[in-house]
Amino acid sequence: MERREEQLGAAGAGAAPALDFTVENVEKALHQLYYDPNIDNKNLAQKWLMQAQVSPQAWHFSWQLLQPDKVPEIQYFGASALHIKISRYWSDIPTDQYESLKAQLFTQITRFASGSKIVLTRLCVALASLALSMMPDAWPCAVADMVRLFQAEDSPVGSQGRCLALLELLTVLPEEFQTSRLPQYRKGLVRTSLAVECGTVFPLLEQLLQQPSSPSCVRQKVLKCFSSWVQLEVPLQDCEALIQAAFAALQDSELFDSSVEAIVNAISQPDAQRYVNTLLKLIPLVLGLQEQLRQAVQNGDMETSHGICRIAVALGENHSRALLDQVEHWQSFLALVNMIMFCTGIPGHYPVNETTSSLTLTFWYTLQDDILSFEAEKQAVYQQVYRPVYFQLVDVLLHKAQFPSDEEYGFWSSDEKEQFRIYRVDISDTLMYVYEMLGAELLSNLYDKLGRLLTSSEEPYSWQHTEALLYGFQSIAETIDVNYSDVVPGLIGLIPRISISNVQLADTVMFTIGALSEWLADHPVMINSVLPLVLHALGNPELSVSSVSTLKKICRECKYDLPPYAANIVAVSQDVLMKQIHKTSQCMWLMQALGFLLSALQVEEILKNLHSLISPYIQQLEKLAEEIPNPSNKLAIVHILGLLSNLFTTLDVSHHEDDHEGPELRKLPVPQGPNPVVVVLQQVFQLIQKVLSKWLNDAQVVEAVCAIFEKSVKTLLDDFAPMVPQLCEMLGRMYSTVPQASALDLTRQLVHIFAHEPAHFPPIEALFLLVTSVTLSLFQQGPRDHPDIVDSFMQLLAQALKRKPDLFLCERLDVKAVFQCAVLALKFPEAPTVKASCGFFTELLPRCGEIESVGKVVQEDGRMLLIAVLEAIGGQASRSLMDCFADILFALNKHCFSLLSMWIKEALQPPGFPSARLSPEQKDTFSQQILRERVNKRRVKEMVKEFTLLCRGLHGTDYTADY
């Protein structure tokens, strides 16, 4: 044994530095990891132990850590180290050592069969990994050998212990295969070999499961082992006997969970649908569980009902198409569908009394898709059978969506309420999907039920029932065009008749009105039926989200029909804003709603309403501007500035020439005079400057100020023109005093919209030069503390080159310094900053020919850029950014080919650059590939991805699978 350890220890001796990985040191580190209260010490120990596991010395200490006198934690580490060595460093093991390593593992597993279970499992995983690496050539009958060795009568371990150890080994073998790092061609060979080994495994499992003398722990292990093997896509017909045995085992409470898992895994494997005859045999077995299911529901046994439901859904959801195809068996499949319907409608409230119904929802999508995918004749037959089933489903779902009594709901935890909310959203999505099957008849059905409920004088109705029906209507109306439905007018007429005595019902009434806002725009005469309800609800803080979002939808969709109601809407909104009924985000939505509303009025009316709406805030802001800055008045300032910017986001008095023109669209001039937003902005400009003067050091306040102008610019476009000179001046002063990213973002907006216009070019050019100069100074002081500023600066430079390259013609612009700063930014750890810098270079390099200063700096400093790009590809930057660096290489190749061909050969010359893992041939191949490709950008991206994997030593490993 010692000779073998020495040989294995010598194998791959260069794999880790020769640290002192002795048994004693490993034990000390494990003690530190488990028992040292200091978290830093624990982390150090963990890091050291990870190095120890992959070191050559692991072959020596692993076996010693497994000695009987060691505690399980230490033995477990030894077993884990063996697994890591075998699974990750298989190529280090000499072939003549395979057999002795295998024998030693068998010996240890036999010893631990009556010892610690966690150590036994790790040793089994290690042997499984060894078997997978040796199969099929070096160990052709691995599983048969395992069975034979563990059935040997001369073992010192009892038969039950040997049996459980064998089952553990057989269970982890397929699991290890699923997670193994075998190369793809080897995976195929091993999979085929394992499929053959099923012939040895399944008869043994059947025998153990069916013989009466098998103790419960063995039968449970058998079911887990079967569950593991079926995931290797074993033909379903080969699993029949074991599946039937697993169904029988469902009657044993100790075996129930393992049986469910095994059956569900067997039924759910993708290949199972090919074995229709076996699937048809399974239907009676599943239907045979109905009595057990009813008993479980009656007794409140959630675990049992949940498990049986999983089995029924697995069969129905995975194989509905295959079973629907068997037309002659339509009745048995319909019986299965009705069983799943029972599971959907299982009594009790989700998630407090039951957690089963949610499992079934995807089944109904799948069944509907499969029915609608048939040709017309077959589809018509199945529609006749299943339309009544889906109408029943709607009733069941709406019943399940009902809230519990107020008293019961009061006892629910916040987590249970959140789960119930998500469950209702899932039901809403299902109802919306079912509309495709049932069509307009579904809306009529809901409307009739709601009408009968609200007009019946025989019995008082529960608010829960009303709310659920409305919720069903809202679910459909939110996503389906109901404009042509003949029941919506009746529904709008019914809504005012609802006696709203409850917050949940009131919320749903609001959201239903909101969902019908587009319909109201086409039928404005009905607005007056529901608008008073919405305005009334605005005063209730409990209805904050639903009432404000509904008003916003109505103001957006129906704004041209709202002028008669405008005064009332503004008055109510002002009142609730002044009373501070709503949270900040709802206040912002409310301002957006008022922006939409005011957009449809005449300019004089807009100005009058704006005056009454924002005057109180302006007065408050004037007062705050006089105060000494402190946290409470900062919050008030940010809130007021937020209200203004949200109002200006939607207050748009001009109309697009064509709503489908895209981002470059222009607007028709406003016929009535100056834009109201500009009038207001000019009036408050001095005040904003005054606020800024005291808060320049506060990023949040500066951001809030910039947001007002940024949102106004985006909405007004050319109408904002009168503000450009004074805004440029203010931005310049702000940025010179305290540089902030938000000021650069606003500058970028101005460049985008106004830089191309001669009248606005001078102030924008002056601002551009100023912020560039200030940012360059920041780079000299050390820009690492300001990645957000560098990010925004790079985006501004790229926008300038894209929109108005003339900004780079000015002699006062230090293009060389800008270039060098951008190269520095490529080395930042923050991905957005690096991405923005790459974007700048991909805009700059195409200008080499047309802008002399750019051409000159690229000639002088382009090599520096290339080296930074190669360093990043070599491993200094995240792999997710490789496409961005590929774009720079492509631009260099396309626009500076002769320079690049010279630079790239020089740059890759030094040994170890950009990675010590590269050979000179690999570097040469890469440079030739890049220089050849000047047309296809996608090919360059693929080359860079290949090259970066080589640089990082990841080429051909599992890490590249998703890359």
Side-chain angles (χ1 to χ4, degrees), residues 539-561:
N540 185 342
E542 290 184 294
L543 303 178
S544 184
V545 173
S546 59
S547 61
V548 174
S549 67
T550 296
L551 181 65
K552 184 181 163 184
K553 282 181 180 177
I554 291 173
C555 289
R556 185 181 65 217
E557 301 299 336
C558 312
K559 63 181 175 185
Y560 298 113
D561 302 297

PDB file of all heavy atoms in Angstrom, residues 539-561:
ATOM      1  N   GLY A 539     -58.705  58.552  -1.414  1.00  0.00           N
ATOM      2  CA  GLY A 539     -58.575  59.061  -0.048  1.00  0.00           C
ATOM      3  C   GLY A 539     -58.324  57.975   0.978  1.00  0.00           C
ATOM      4  O   GLY A 539     -58.162  58.264   2.160  1.00  0.00           O
ATOM      5  N   ASN A 540     -58.298  56.705   0.536  1.00  0.00           N
ATOM      6  CA  ASN A 540     -58.115  55.609   1.479  1.00  0.00           C
ATOM      7  C   ASN A 540     -56.689  55.057   1.355  1.00  0.00           C
ATOM      8  O   ASN A 540     -56.324  54.467   0.337  1.00  0.00           O
ATOM      9  CB  ASN A 540     -59.122  54.488   1.157  1.00  0.00           C
ATOM     10  CG  ASN A 540     -59.061  53.359   2.172  1.00  0.00           C
ATOM     11  OD1 ASN A 540     -58.097  53.225   2.913  1.00  0.00           O
ATOM     12  ND2 ASN A 540     -60.101  52.539   2.185  1.00  0.00           N
ATOM     13  N   PRO A 541     -55.837  55.239   2.371  1.00  0.00           N
ATOM     14  CA  PRO A 541     -54.441  54.786   2.264  1.00  0.00           C
ATOM     15  C   PRO A 541     -54.313  53.282   2.012  1.00  0.00           C
ATOM     16  O   PRO A 541     -53.353  52.826   1.416  1.00  0.00           O
ATOM     17  CB  PRO A 541     -53.822  55.159   3.620  1.00  0.00           C
ATOM     18  CG  PRO A 541     -54.957  55.519   4.515  1.00  0.00           C
ATOM     19  CD  PRO A 541     -56.116  55.900   3.660  1.00  0.00           C
ATOM     20  N   GLU A 542     -55.325  52.497   2.456  1.00  0.00           N
ATOM     21  CA  GLU A 542     -55.259  51.037   2.236  1.00  0.00           C
ATOM     22  C   GLU A 542     -55.439  50.672   0.763  1.00  0.00           C
ATOM     23  O   GLU A 542     -55.075  49.578   0.337  1.00  0.00           O
ATOM     24  CB  GLU A 542     -56.326  50.329   3.075  1.00  0.00           C
ATOM     25  CG  GLU A 542     -56.034  50.369   4.567  1.00  0.00           C
ATOM     26  CD  GLU A 542     -57.066  49.574   5.350  1.00  0.00           C
ATOM     27  OE1 GLU A 542     -58.244  49.976   5.371  1.00  0.00           O
ATOM     28  OE2 GLU A 542     -56.678  48.543   5.926  1.00  0.00           O
ATOM     29  N   LEU A 543     -56.023  51.599  -0.015  1.00  0.00           N
ATOM     30  CA  LEU A 543     -56.244  51.338  -1.447  1.00  0.00           C
ATOM     31  C   LEU A 543     -55.252  52.124  -2.303  1.00  0.00           C
ATOM     32  O   LEU A 543     -55.491  52.365  -3.489  1.00  0.00           O
ATOM     33  CB  LEU A 543     -57.681  51.725  -1.835  1.00  0.00           C
ATOM     34  CG  LEU A 543     -58.798  51.048  -1.050  1.00  0.00           C
ATOM     35  CD1 LEU A 543     -60.156  51.554  -1.505  1.00  0.00           C
ATOM     36  CD2 LEU A 543     -58.718  49.539  -1.218  1.00  0.00           C
ATOM     37  N   SER A 544     -54.167  52.525  -1.685  1.00  0.00           N
ATOM     38  CA  SER A 544     -53.215  53.415  -2.338  1.00  0.00           C
ATOM     39  C   SER A 544     -52.757  52.902  -3.704  1.00  0.00           C
ATOM     40  O   SER A 544     -52.903  53.566  -4.728  1.00  0.00           O
ATOM     41  CB  SER A 544     -52.007  53.614  -1.415  1.00  0.00           C
ATOM     42  OG  SER A 544     -51.114  54.526  -1.976  1.00  0.00           O
ATOM     43  N   VAL A 545     -52.216  51.681  -3.736  1.00  0.00           N
ATOM     44  CA  VAL A 545     -51.642  51.146  -4.981  1.00  0.00           C
ATOM     45  C   VAL A 545     -52.719  50.985  -6.043  1.00  0.00           C
ATOM     46  O   VAL A 545     -52.554  51.419  -7.194  1.00  0.00           O
ATOM     47  CB  VAL A 545     -50.931  49.792  -4.720  1.00  0.00           C
ATOM     48  CG1 VAL A 545     -50.485  49.151  -6.022  1.00  0.00           C
ATOM     49  CG2 VAL A 545     -49.726  50.001  -3.811  1.00  0.00           C
ATOM     50  N   SER A 546     -53.853  50.360  -5.684  1.00  0.00           N
ATOM     51  CA  SER A 546     -54.878  50.067  -6.699  1.00  0.00           C
ATOM     52  C   SER A 546     -55.550  51.337  -7.211  1.00  0.00           C
ATOM     53  O   SER A 546     -55.767  51.486  -8.419  1.00  0.00           O
ATOM     54  CB  SER A 546     -55.925  49.112  -6.125  1.00  0.00           C
ATOM     55  OG  SER A 546     -56.552  49.669  -4.992  1.00  0.00           O
ATOM     56  N   SER A 547     -55.856  52.280  -6.323  1.00  0.00           N
ATOM     57  CA  SER A 547     -56.580  53.481  -6.779  1.00  0.00           C
ATOM     58  C   SER A 547     -55.679  54.383  -7.617  1.00  0.00           C
ATOM     59  O   SER A 547     -56.102  54.895  -8.660  1.00  0.00           O
ATOM     60  CB  SER A 547     -57.136  54.257  -5.577  1.00  0.00           C
ATOM     61  OG  SER A 547     -56.081  54.687  -4.735  1.00  0.00           O
ATOM     62  N   VAL A 548     -54.426  54.557  -7.191  1.00  0.00           N
ATOM     63  CA  VAL A 548     -53.535  55.456  -7.941  1.00  0.00           C
ATOM     64  C   VAL A 548     -53.182  54.848  -9.295  1.00  0.00           C
ATOM     65  O   VAL A 548     -53.186  55.541 -10.322  1.00  0.00           O
ATOM     66  CB  VAL A 548     -52.249  55.767  -7.118  1.00  0.00           C
ATOM     67  CG1 VAL A 548     -51.268  56.575  -7.953  1.00  0.00           C
ATOM     68  CG2 VAL A 548     -52.602  56.537  -5.850  1.00  0.00           C
ATOM     69  N   SER A 549     -52.887  53.532  -9.321  1.00  0.00           N
ATOM     70  CA  SER A 549     -52.524  52.926 -10.614  1.00  0.00           C
ATOM     71  C   SER A 549     -53.719  52.934 -11.564  1.00  0.00           C
ATOM     72  O   SER A 549     -53.567  53.112 -12.771  1.00  0.00           O
ATOM     73  CB  SER A 549     -51.991  51.499 -10.428  1.00  0.00           C
ATOM     74  OG  SER A 549     -53.004  50.640  -9.982  1.00  0.00           O
ATOM     75  N   THR A 550     -54.935  52.777 -11.030  1.00  0.00           N
ATOM     76  CA  THR A 550     -56.135  52.815 -11.881  1.00  0.00           C
ATOM     77  C   THR A 550     -56.360  54.224 -12.428  1.00  0.00           C
ATOM     78  O   THR A 550     -56.657  54.399 -13.619  1.00  0.00           O
ATOM     79  CB  THR A 550     -57.362  52.328 -11.086  1.00  0.00           C
ATOM     80  OG1 THR A 550     -57.139  50.966 -10.741  1.00  0.00           O
ATOM     81  CG2 THR A 550     -58.646  52.453 -11.890  1.00  0.00           C
ATOM     82  N   LEU A 551     -56.217  55.241 -11.576  1.00  0.00           N
ATOM     83  CA  LEU A 551     -56.375  56.624 -12.059  1.00  0.00           C
ATOM     84  C   LEU A 551     -55.331  56.918 -13.143  1.00  0.00           C
ATOM     85  O   LEU A 551     -55.632  57.551 -14.155  1.00  0.00           O
ATOM     86  CB  LEU A 551     -56.236  57.613 -10.902  1.00  0.00           C
ATOM     87  CG  LEU A 551     -56.416  59.084 -11.314  1.00  0.00           C
ATOM     88  CD1 LEU A 551     -57.841  59.343 -11.808  1.00  0.00           C
ATOM     89  CD2 LEU A 551     -56.082  60.031 -10.167  1.00  0.00           C
ATOM     90  N   LYS A 552     -54.111  56.443 -12.933  1.00  0.00           N
ATOM     91  CA  LYS A 552     -53.050  56.674 -13.926  1.00  0.00           C
ATOM     92  C   LYS A 552     -53.426  56.046 -15.269  1.00  0.00           C
ATOM     93  O   LYS A 552     -53.253  56.654 -16.330  1.00  0.00           O
ATOM     94  CB  LYS A 552     -51.720  56.108 -13.408  1.00  0.00           C
ATOM     95  CG  LYS A 552     -50.540  56.385 -14.333  1.00  0.00           C
ATOM     96  CD  LYS A 552     -49.254  55.788 -13.774  1.00  0.00           C
ATOM     97  CE  LYS A 552     -48.180  55.693 -14.834  1.00  0.00           C
ATOM     98  NZ  LYS A 552     -46.968  55.033 -14.360  1.00  0.00           N
ATOM     99  N   LYS A 553     -53.950  54.810 -15.225  1.00  0.00           N
ATOM    100  CA  LYS A 553     -54.359  54.138 -16.476  1.00  0.00           C
ATOM    101  C   LYS A 553     -55.475  54.910 -17.180  1.00  0.00           C
ATOM    102  O   LYS A 553     -55.460  55.098 -18.392  1.00  0.00           O
ATOM    103  CB  LYS A 553     -54.838  52.705 -16.174  1.00  0.00           C
ATOM    104  CG  LYS A 553     -53.715  51.718 -15.948  1.00  0.00           C
ATOM    105  CD  LYS A 553     -54.283  50.333 -15.687  1.00  0.00           C
ATOM    106  CE  LYS A 553     -53.171  49.308 -15.458  1.00  0.00           C
ATOM    107  NZ  LYS A 553     -53.720  47.984 -15.127  1.00  0.00           N
ATOM    108  N   ILE A 554     -56.453  55.364 -16.383  1.00  0.00           N
ATOM    109  CA  ILE A 554     -57.578  56.114 -16.980  1.00  0.00           C
ATOM    110  C   ILE A 554     -57.067  57.421 -17.593  1.00  0.00           C
ATOM    111  O   ILE A 554     -57.433  57.782 -18.714  1.00  0.00           O
ATOM    112  CB  ILE A 554     -58.683  56.382 -15.929  1.00  0.00           C
ATOM    113  CG1 ILE A 554     -59.370  55.064 -15.549  1.00  0.00           C
ATOM    114  CG2 ILE A 554     -59.707  57.392 -16.437  1.00  0.00           C
ATOM    115  CD1 ILE A 554     -60.352  55.181 -14.397  1.00  0.00           C
ATOM    116  N   CYS A 555     -56.188  58.120 -16.860  1.00  0.00           N
ATOM    117  CA  CYS A 555     -55.669  59.397 -17.384  1.00  0.00           C
ATOM    118  C   CYS A 555     -54.816  59.190 -18.632  1.00  0.00           C
ATOM    119  O   CYS A 555     -54.806  60.035 -19.529  1.00  0.00           O
ATOM    120  CB  CYS A 555     -54.851  60.114 -16.305  1.00  0.00           C
ATOM    121  SG  CYS A 555     -55.867  60.767 -14.965  1.00  0.00           S
ATOM    122  N   ARG A 556     -54.121  58.067 -18.702  1.00  0.00           N
ATOM    123  CA  ARG A 556     -53.289  57.807 -19.883  1.00  0.00           C
ATOM    124  C   ARG A 556     -54.154  57.426 -21.087  1.00  0.00           C
ATOM    125  O   ARG A 556     -53.956  57.918 -22.188  1.00  0.00           O
ATOM    126  CB  ARG A 556     -52.299  56.671 -19.576  1.00  0.00           C
ATOM    127  CG  ARG A 556     -51.298  56.411 -20.711  1.00  0.00           C
ATOM    128  CD  ARG A 556     -50.357  55.277 -20.368  1.00  0.00           C
ATOM    129  NE  ARG A 556     -51.084  54.013 -20.247  1.00  0.00           N
ATOM    130  CZ  ARG A 556     -50.791  53.062 -19.356  1.00  0.00           C
ATOM    131  NH1 ARG A 556     -49.806  53.230 -18.508  1.00  0.00           N
ATOM    132  NH2 ARG A 556     -51.493  51.951 -19.306  1.00  0.00           N
ATOM    133  N   GLU A 557     -55.122  56.531 -20.867  1.00  0.00           N
ATOM    134  CA  GLU A 557     -55.903  56.001 -21.989  1.00  0.00           C
ATOM    135  C   GLU A 557     -57.038  56.941 -22.420  1.00  0.00           C
ATOM    136  O   GLU A 557     -57.390  56.989 -23.596  1.00  0.00           O
ATOM    137  CB  GLU A 557     -56.502  54.627 -21.618  1.00  0.00           C
ATOM    138  CG  GLU A 557     -55.493  53.569 -21.241  1.00  0.00           C
ATOM    139  CD  GLU A 557     -54.518  53.236 -22.365  1.00  0.00           C
ATOM    140  OE1 GLU A 557     -54.854  53.453 -23.541  1.00  0.00           O
ATOM    141  OE2 GLU A 557     -53.397  52.781 -22.049  1.00  0.00           O
ATOM    142  N   CYS A 558     -57.615  57.657 -21.462  1.00  0.00           N
ATOM    143  CA  CYS A 558     -58.840  58.415 -21.761  1.00  0.00           C
ATOM    144  C   CYS A 558     -58.620  59.929 -21.699  1.00  0.00           C
ATOM    145  O   CYS A 558     -59.582  60.690 -21.538  1.00  0.00           O
ATOM    146  CB  CYS A 558     -59.946  58.039 -20.763  1.00  0.00           C
ATOM    147  SG  CYS A 558     -60.172  56.276 -20.523  1.00  0.00           S
ATOM    148  N   LYS A 559     -57.354  60.399 -21.779  1.00  0.00           N
ATOM    149  CA  LYS A 559     -57.089  61.811 -21.456  1.00  0.00           C
ATOM    150  C   LYS A 559     -57.902  62.786 -22.309  1.00  0.00           C
ATOM    151  O   LYS A 559     -58.297  63.850 -21.829  1.00  0.00           O
ATOM    152  CB  LYS A 559     -55.594  62.110 -21.538  1.00  0.00           C
ATOM    153  CG  LYS A 559     -54.939  61.957 -22.886  1.00  0.00           C
ATOM    154  CD  LYS A 559     -53.450  62.265 -22.761  1.00  0.00           C
ATOM    155  CE  LYS A 559     -52.704  62.001 -24.059  1.00  0.00           C
ATOM    156  NZ  LYS A 559     -51.260  62.177 -23.888  1.00  0.00           N
ATOM    157  N   TYR A 560     -58.175  62.433 -23.570  1.00  0.00           N
ATOM    158  CA  TYR A 560     -58.898  63.393 -24.431  1.00  0.00           C
ATOM    159  C   TYR A 560     -60.381  63.482 -24.084  1.00  0.00           C
ATOM    160  O   TYR A 560     -61.076  64.366 -24.569  1.00  0.00           O
ATOM    161  CB  TYR A 560     -58.715  63.031 -25.910  1.00  0.00           C
ATOM    162  CG  TYR A 560     -57.256  63.112 -26.317  1.00  0.00           C
ATOM    163  CD1 TYR A 560     -56.547  61.970 -26.664  1.00  0.00           C
ATOM    164  CD2 TYR A 560     -56.574  64.338 -26.290  1.00  0.00           C
ATOM    165  CE1 TYR A 560     -55.195  62.048 -26.994  1.00  0.00           C
ATOM    166  CE2 TYR A 560     -55.228  64.421 -26.605  1.00  0.00           C
ATOM    167  CZ  TYR A 560     -54.548  63.269 -26.964  1.00  0.00           C
ATOM    168  OH  TYR A 560     -53.218  63.343 -27.279  1.00  0.00           O
ATOM    169  N   ASP A 561     -60.860  62.550 -23.243  1.00  0.00           N
ATOM    170  CA  ASP A 561     -62.271  62.594 -22.814  1.00  0.00           C
ATOM    171  C   ASP A 561     -62.411  63.064 -21.379  1.00  0.00           C
ATOM    172  O   ASP A 561     -63.525  63.103 -20.848  1.00  0.00           O
ATOM    173  CB  ASP A 561     -62.897  61.191 -22.954  1.00  0.00           C
ATOM    174  CG  ASP A 561     -62.806  60.681 -24.383  1.00  0.00           C
ATOM    175  OD1 ASP A 561     -63.401  61.310 -25.256  1.00  0.00           O
ATOM    176  OD2 ASP A 561     -62.108  59.675 -24.614  1.00  0.00           O
TER     177      ASP A 561
END
